[in-house]
Amino acid sequence: MLVLGGGGVVYDGECQRYLRVVQAAHTAGVPVFVHAIGAGPLTDHGDGGIACNALQRVQDLVVRDQGSKHVLEHVGVDTEITVTADPALLLRPAIFERERLDREGIPDDVRLVGVSVREPGRAAEFLDEDGYYDLLAVVSDFLVHRLDAHLVFLPMERDDLRHSHSVLSRMTDPARGRILHGPFQPAEVLGLMEHLHLVVGMRLHFLIFAAMAGVPFLPLPYAGKVFDFACATGAPALRGVEREHAGPLLSDIDRLWDERPIRMGLIRDRVAVLTERAQHTRDRLGHLLDELDPQPLTAGVGEGGAA
């Protein structure tokens, strides 16, 4: 069996590269399990046709959010599509010692807010880059002064480091922010969450890890997958970070902090449901593997074990 996933692998400009191996599996008669993928944007007619042709014939098609299902249905996929949850929800945290934060110059006994920024992308397509950085700096300064907090910027990908520096450099109080340089494994990022009181961010898995740790979070949506996860967990579900959204952003931060105890309980309940879905997907794959007719990978094995 070929397992495709997870993550966003079906989108304009790249889906042909990801789905080439699926087409090869079809040609070879190998069953394909599509495991909790994300799809979209998929507006190019050619890419949509490739996706439809490749995914129409798979053994099982499982996507990680409702938006991905709608994208695939729109391009013509009419086989059954199951909506599950991101498999990252099954990760277990690694211990993240407080000493690691000390080495990064992050003070102890203060409120810590985790921040994740990335390139603007569709989250701020009408903002120039400077305007985008200025907006996030306003949000960061509000977090510092409203909550008397220190900010912990955590780059999830290499280029996030540059964007984090650009936001920090525009803050009125940059001394209250630190950029972690890692590198950190995913389980370590999840372990870091126990040291944070609030999270504001763009990267989906940064937000997933916050939710798993029961930390209230404010998504800064740059894609439908972030919006869908916000809705699934009861988080504020803004649809972008354009300039006119500065007021709602700050209001949501205010409300999120004031409602923090209630939010923590809500998040834990919602995450439990999502985790069960992710576990079901894993079990579903296991059952399919068990049903395959087991054939030996070598032929002509004699009594002495030599092929």
Side-chain angles (χ1 to χ4, degrees), residues 125-170:
E125 57 186 337
F126 301 113
L127 276 177
D128 59 32
E129 199 165 73
D130 284 336
Y132 168 75
Y133 293 142
D134 288 341
L135 178 62
L136 294 183
V138 168
V139 171
S140 300
D141 280 324
F142 182 80
L143 287 163
V144 166
H145 298 126
R146 167 66 176 88
L147 308 183
D148 190 24
H150 282 67
L151 306 185
V152 180
F153 290 82
L154 193 136
M156 298 286 281
E157 295 188 11
R158 183 176 299 174
D159 205 38
D160 295 355
L161 189 61
R162 176 173 67 87
H163 299 295
S164 298
H165 276 292
S166 295
V167 172
L168 189 62
S169 68
R170 287 165 169 78

Side-chain angles (χ1 to χ4, degrees), residues 19-194:
L19 295 178
R20 187 179 296 123
V21 67
V22 174
Q23 297 283 20
H26 291 327
T27 301
V30 174
V32 178
F33 184 96
V34 179
H35 191 293
I37 65 164
L42 200 55
T43 57
D44 180 85
H45 180 73
D47 285 334
I50 290 169
C52 182
N53 182 264
L55 298 178
Q56 194 83 328
R57 297 178 284 157
V58 301
Q59 184 90 1
D60 210 342
L61 177 51
V62 184
V63 297
R64 68 182 175 188
D65 52 63
Q66 196 68 38
S68 295
K69 180 180 180 180
H70 291 158
V71 166
L72 296 182
E73 289 175 338
H74 182 72
V75 299
V77 177
D78 59 10
T79 190
E80 182 182 359
I81 303 174
T82 301
V83 178
T84 185
D86 196 290
L89 287 153
L90 301 177
L91 189 67
R92 295 292 176 261
I95 295 173
F96 195 102
E97 300 87 356
R98 171 64 226 193
E99 290 73 19
R100 299 180 71 173
L101 296 178
D102 295 337
R103 291 196 295 269
E104 298 273 3
I106 297 171
D108 203 353
D109 297 323
V110 296
R111 289 176 181 155
L112 296 180
V113 176
V115 182
S116 164
V117 298
R118 53 159 285 161
E119 73 273 8
R122 294 192 305 157
E125 57 186 337
F126 301 113
L127 276 177
D128 59 32
E129 199 165 73
D130 284 336
Y132 168 75
Y133 293 142
D134 288 341
L135 178 62
L136 294 183
V138 168
V139 171
S140 300
D141 280 324
F142 182 80
L143 287 163
V144 166
H145 298 126
R146 167 66 176 88
L147 308 183
D148 190 24
H150 282 67
L151 306 185
V152 180
F153 290 82
L154 193 136
M156 298 286 281
E157 295 188 11
R158 183 176 299 174
D159 205 38
D160 295 355
L161 189 61
R162 176 173 67 87
H163 299 295
S164 298
H165 276 292
S166 295
V167 172
L168 189 62
S169 68
R170 287 165 169 78
M171 290 176 58
T172 58
D173 198 353
R176 300 283 287 273
R178 287 288 186 276
I179 300 172
L180 301 186
H181 292 83
F184 304 110
Q185 296 297 315
E188 294 175 305
V189 178
L190 179 54
L192 166 67
M193 293 297 164
E194 72 173 53

